[in-house]
Amino acid sequence: MHSPPGIVITQREGFWRCRESLLSVLTHTPKPYELIYVDGGSPPEVRDELRRLSEERGFRLLRHE
């Protein structure tokens, strides 16, 4: 049995786009896939939103300060 394709998302220049880009991937990418989001020390409000979305949508969230 093969594993589903993997998608890794990391943040770049600004944290303000992370929710929009993440929701775009979740909405427009056909399943099955395994999604890993790497949070590179986002501010608390972004961190909390990413955590909430990972719990609701079932993707893996890795946080690095």
Side-chain angles (χ1 to χ4, degrees):
M1 179 175 233
H2 295 286
S3 298
I7 300 171
V8 177
I9 300 175
T10 62
Q11 298 155 327
R12 299 248 334 152
E13 286 74 31
F15 294 109
W16 59 274
R17 288 189 199 165
C18 68
R19 184 177 193 278
E20 179 183 344
S21 63
L22 173 58
L23 289 176
S24 180
V25 170
L26 291 169
T27 301
H28 300 291
T29 305
K31 292 191 177 195
Y33 59 85
E34 179 183 357
L35 176 64
I36 300 171
Y37 192 98
V38 180
D39 175 9
S42 64
E45 62 275 2
V46 174
R47 176 201 62 209
D48 295 346
E49 177 72 1
L50 290 171
R51 186 177 297 138
R52 183 186 68 77
L53 285 169
S54 72
E55 292 169 1
E56 287 178 2
R57 302 289 188 105
F59 61 88
R60 187 170 170 198
L61 177 63
L62 300 177
R63 171 128 174 126
H64 294 282
E65 299 298 331

